[in-house]
Amino acid sequence: MFFTLLIVTFVIAVAVSFGAVRLFDRPIASILRRIVTEELSGAWHRYIKFAAYVVGVSAGVRIHELERYISAPDKDEEILVLTAERWTLEVYRTVIETLQGIAWMLLLVFVVALLAYVLARGFELKNR
């Protein structure tokens, strides 16, 4: 049952990451085109998409939390049993944690992009 949960959370995290990457694909591309040259923006765009998948899957598939289903945290405690309620909770956690991880990553990317834009705009105005 543990392996099924691991595979299901992985597939859900990949699917949610795919949806989030698709949703923010154009805004990221247009921001990068404005900040860096066309040649660099394509490479950075691919890297940010890759990073979003990595962050989404690693945030959604919480290995340390899933370990509770194969070993007890303490010697005196029992291993958790995967019931329907726990499955629902784990699926919900996977979706939320995946979105939360990608949201934090994109926030960081957009803050850095905003700073780069402000600096580039300042240099443009200074050189006029």
Side-chain angles (χ1 to χ4, degrees):
M1 201 63 139
F2 169 77
F3 293 112
T4 306
L5 177 63
L6 184 63
I7 291 168
V8 166
T9 56
F10 179 78
V11 168
I12 290 170
V14 169
V16 171
S17 297
F18 177 78
V21 167
R22 293 269 310 194
L23 185 65
F24 288 98
D25 191 39
R26 284 190 180 141
I28 291 171
S30 62
I31 288 170
L32 288 173
R33 269 188 253 113
R34 174 70 177 117
I35 295 173
V36 295
T37 63
E38 190 70 32
E39 302 88 37
L40 286 176
S41 70
W44 275 100
H45 187 224
R46 273 192 306 266
Y47 174 74
I48 290 171
K49 285 170 52 172
F50 171 74
Y53 280 111
V54 171
V55 168
V57 170
S58 66
V61 182
R62 301 159 331 280
I63 298 298
H64 297 296
E65 294 291 323
L66 296 178
E67 285 178 354
R68 301 176 303 163
Y69 298 110
I70 56 174
S71 62
D74 294 322
K75 292 179 182 179
D76 298 334
E77 295 181 24
E78 293 182 17
I79 297 174
L80 291 177
V81 179
L82 280 169
T83 62
E85 292 84 10
R86 289 198 192 275
W87 269 93
T88 304
L89 186 61
E90 290 299 331
V91 167
Y92 179 76
R93 279 186 189 154
T94 300
V95 172
I96 294 301
E97 294 289 331
T98 302
L99 290 173
Q100 187 177 27
I102 293 173
W104 278 109
M105 188 212 89
L106 289 178
L107 178 64
L108 181 65
V109 167
F110 288 138
V111 166
V112 170
L114 180 62
L115 290 173
Y117 177 78
V118 168
L119 289 174
R121 190 79 171 136
F123 284 129
E124 287 174 2
L125 294 175
K126 185 178 179 182
N127 290 333
R128 284 186 180 184

